[in-house]
Amino acid sequence: LQDQHYHTYELAKNTEPEKEEEKEQFRAALAVHPVSDVTLMYRLHKQFSRIQLHKTYQEIQDLQMQIRNLTSLTPAGEGGLSWPVGINAPFLPKSRFEVISWDYFTEQHLFSCPDGSPKCELSGASKADVGEVISSALEQLNRRYQPRLRFSKRQLLNGYRRFDPTRGMEYTLDLLLEAVTQKGHSHLLAKRVSLLRPLSKVEIIPMPYVTEATRVQLVLPLTVQDLDFVANFLDVFATNVLDARDNALLTLLLVYHPLEAQQVGQVDVFAGVKAMVGELEKRYADVKIPWISVKTEVPSQVKLMDIVSKKHPVDTLFFLAGVWTEVNMEFLNRCRMNAISNWQVFFPVHFQEFNPALVFRGEPPASSSSSELLRDGRFDRHAFAEACFYNSDYMAARTRLATDILERDEVLESVELFDLFLHYSALHLFRAVEPGLVQKYALRSCNPRLSEDSYHRCVLANLEGLASRSHLAMALFEQEQANST
């Protein structure tokens, strides 16, 4: 057809497709017949997939050879040839803060744990990853040195890995191997190998269209322990949102303890908050800041959102904030862009400043440029109090939760919003550091009535948010010096 030749191949009766692969007529065939059963069809598909895979590997080798030949003609010469050939060169840090650290591991343990502990058991995907890398290293060694030598693994002495965003996951393995010669002589030797699991082809995932014009409904739960920080929150909200005419509203949740609720007629613990809200509404005539009184001993996120969700339309975009949150337009826009209805919810990781008494030790902080605003602090990965999500997504996940737990209060008290969306929705959970959310240092009040995980994370956030190791060491040193004199 149009000077192109298309071949067919006739299979003999009871033939084995695996044995036909060496025949050129079989490899060049466009159609194969007769195919008598489903099993034979799958076996043929497997064989032609293998043939295509071998062709792809051969093309890769040819391209690598061409790259080697051409590299010698470039200004950098053969020294500019990266390994593996055809893969991007390793990332070169411009400062010590950009150095990508290596994670140490053995076949049983990992020494860079997600929870920050110095040592944890290797399990799950990490264990499968290490096993696959070791087996791949042995396969490559045997392919290179056979038939003169045959290697078998005795032990992984040391393992290192790091993720380079420009090329993929890099591995360095120190292996204790048993090498057996053709004559049967064996010898133990240690060999270091380097491997790379390259990044696959990058794909653009289609995302629903969102704009920065969506109205954001801020929800601020307040307890008695938060009263000292409310004034600062309202001042920042007035400056960054109300003065800037940003399309955002605020609702306060005044959480009363049952004893406080009984005495609200005589002493209202939130009277000061209500007065501040009244002053704001006088200053901004077109602004209304409603508050909702809630009586509960355990102010869990799900319980509070159940109340707020019923009072707003299903298309409302919520931002559940904390009293230490300093709201600004930059973050609100990212909240609008990263929370997508029926697709994604956004849990930002705010930047927590260290205790100034430990960092500056009585000295006034030096003026810093805008690029150094996030200098004395850390991103608090233990915090899940702030979240951006749509009311419709919350209601759908909440309905699934209700059918699962049958409205048992003790279960509701232990479920956080992150767990709700993680286990009871099919949405994407976007968890990322957010430099637009910077919180001043404050000692958080941890409620022991909440879930054990929530209380434990709150305590860890207080401990790790004190200061960096160098600041703590300097404080201990000065204390010891004072005690010795």
Side-chain angles (χ1 to χ4, degrees):
L1 178 64
Q2 296 181 353
D3 291 332
Q4 296 292 321
H5 294 274
Y6 300 95
H7 302 277
T8 63
Y9 186 83
E10 184 175 359
L11 291 172
K13 190 175 182 180
N14 298 327
T15 187
E16 299 288 335
E18 293 80 8
K19 298 180 180 178
E20 302 290 326
E21 185 178 343
E22 301 300 326
K23 299 179 181 179
E24 183 61 32
Q25 297 90 337
F26 180 82
R27 300 169 66 90
L30 175 67
V32 177
H33 70 96
V35 180
S36 56
D37 55 49
V38 175
T39 304
L40 180 58
M41 182 186 70
Y42 280 112
R43 291 170 68 185
L44 285 170
H45 177 70
K46 179 182 178 181
Q47 287 305 111
F48 279 99
S49 297
R50 182 181 297 167
I51 292 171
Q52 192 63 39
L53 188 61
H54 288 167
K55 286 183 179 179
T56 303
Y57 284 143
Q58 188 59 48
E59 290 177 2
I60 291 174
Q61 291 180 5
D62 294 341
L63 288 172
Q64 288 178 335
M65 185 59 67
Q66 294 178 27
I67 293 173
R68 287 191 183 95
N69 295 336
L70 290 173
T71 303
S72 60
L73 304 178
T74 61
E78 294 183 358
L81 188 66
S82 63
W83 179 90
V85 178
I87 305 294
N88 292 334
F91 171 74
L92 293 177
K94 297 179 181 178
S95 67
R96 64 187 181 92
F97 301 103
E98 297 178 356
V99 175
I100 304 175
S101 61
W102 290 86
D103 297 333
Y104 180 77
F105 62 88
T106 63
E107 291 184 83
Q108 292 80 29
H109 294 95
L110 183 66
F111 292 82
S112 248
C113 305
D115 59 356
S117 58
K119 180 181 178 181
C120 54
E121 186 177 354
L122 197 64
S123 60
S126 292
K127 189 175 183 65
D129 176 57
V130 171
E132 184 179 353
V133 168
I134 294 175
S135 62
S136 178
L138 281 174
E139 180 184 346
Q140 295 290 337
L141 287 171
N142 283 320
R143 184 183 302 173
R144 175 173 296 185
Y145 292 102
Q146 278 186 353
R148 292 173 296 169
L149 292 174
R150 186 177 69 256
F151 293 99
S152 60
K153 179 184 71 72
R154 283 295 187 88
Q155 183 185 355
L156 172 65
L157 300 176
N158 301 293
Y160 308 89
R161 68 180 180 184
R162 70 173 183 179
F163 179 71
D164 188 331
T166 63
R167 44 198 259 133
M169 186 70 82
E170 298 177 343
Y171 304 86
T172 298
L173 307 179
D174 292 331
L175 295 169
L176 182 62
L177 304 170
E178 181 181 7
V180 181
T181 64
Q182 288 177 297
K183 295 182 179 181
H185 300 298
S186 63
H187 180 68
L188 290 178
L189 74 154
K191 192 169 184 67
R192 169 165 286 193
V193 296
S194 297
L195 301 96
L196 172 69
R197 190 191 295 272
L199 293 172
S200 58
K201 183 179 179 181
V202 178
E203 298 183 18
I204 298 177
I205 300 177
M207 298 285 284
Y209 178 73
V210 292
T211 69
E212 295 183 353
T214 307
R215 172 176 290 177
V216 180
Q217 177 64 58
L218 280 78
V219 179
L220 178 65
L222 292 175
T223 62
V224 177
Q225 291 80 11
D226 303 329
L227 292 179
D228 294 338
F229 311 100
V230 180
N232 182 69
F233 177 91
L234 293 176
D235 288 343
V236 173
F237 176 78
T239 303
N240 294 341
V241 178
L242 299 182
D243 289 344
R245 299 291 179 181
D246 197 356
N247 192 14
L249 302 176
L250 174 63
T251 297
L252 301 181
L253 283 175
L254 308 181
V255 182
Y256 288 87
H257 190 274
L259 295 177
E260 298 166 354
Q262 293 176 3
Q263 303 171 359
V264 70
Q266 294 79 25
V267 179
D268 187 356
V269 293
F270 291 107
V273 176
K274 296 176 182 178
M276 286 186 279
V277 170
E279 290 296 326
L280 279 180
E281 291 179 343
K282 288 180 182 178
R283 193 192 316 172
Y284 304 92
D286 57 340
V287 173
K288 295 296 180 183
I289 303 179
W291 69 74
I292 303 173
S293 299
V294 182
K295 182 178 72 172
T296 179
E297 292 184 17
V298 186
S300 68
Q301 291 179 324
V302 174
K303 275 188 174 182
L304 298 179
M305 283 308 306
D306 281 348
I307 299 172
V308 179
S309 175
K310 298 173 183 177
K311 298 181 180 295
H312 291 85
V314 295
D315 60 347
T316 303
L317 173 58
F318 286 123
F319 169 44
L320 183 61
V323 71
W324 304 280
T325 305
E326 296 189 354
V327 185
N328 56 66
M329 291 182 62
E330 177 187 0
F331 168 72
L332 290 179
N333 284 334
R334 272 201 282 273
C335 180
R336 296 180 178 105
M337 301 302 291
N338 291 326
I340 306 172
S341 179
N342 200 31
W343 185 267
Q344 180 172 282
V345 293
F346 179 40
F347 284 84
V349 182
H350 66 254
F351 187 82
Q352 177 68 53
E353 293 185 351
F354 288 141
N355 188 342
L358 292 173
V359 174
F360 304 110
R361 299 188 299 279
E363 300 177 2
S367 60
S368 58
S369 62
S370 58
S371 61
E372 296 178 338
L373 291 178
L374 305 181
R375 182 180 53 183
D376 298 316
R378 53 183 273 279
F379 285 101
D380 189 1
R381 59 186 178 85
H382 299 295
F384 291 86
E386 294 151 316
C388 294
F389 54 93
Y390 277 86
N391 193 16
S392 57
D393 295 332
Y394 173 80
M395 295 170 66
R398 183 67 178 85
T399 303
R400 295 190 186 98
L401 173 65
T403 59
D404 188 33
I405 67 172
L406 302 178
E407 298 297 334
R408 288 178 294 173
D409 284 345
E410 67 273 10
V411 179
L412 280 179
E413 293 171 359
S414 62
V415 177
E416 293 188 343
L417 276 179
F418 188 85
D419 300 320
L420 175 70
F421 287 115
L422 181 63
H423 298 293
Y424 298 97
S425 77
L427 303 173
H428 296 82
L429 269 68
F430 185 36
R431 174 91 166 141
V433 294
E434 179 49 68
L437 281 183
V438 180
Q439 295 190 6
K440 303 295 183 183
Y441 173 79
L443 187 65
R444 288 4 182 203
S445 59
C446 302
N447 191 341
R449 292 292 304 274
L450 295 175
S451 67
E452 184 178 349
D453 289 341
S454 302
Y455 180 75
H456 181 63
R457 283 200 301 266
C458 179
V459 173
L460 278 180
N462 278 333
L463 294 175
E464 295 181 5
L466 282 174
S468 65
R469 292 184 178 181
S470 59
H471 292 135
L472 293 173
M474 185 59 68
L476 287 174
F477 176 75
E478 293 179 352
Q479 184 178 5
E480 290 179 357
Q481 290 292 104
N483 292 338
S484 63
T485 56

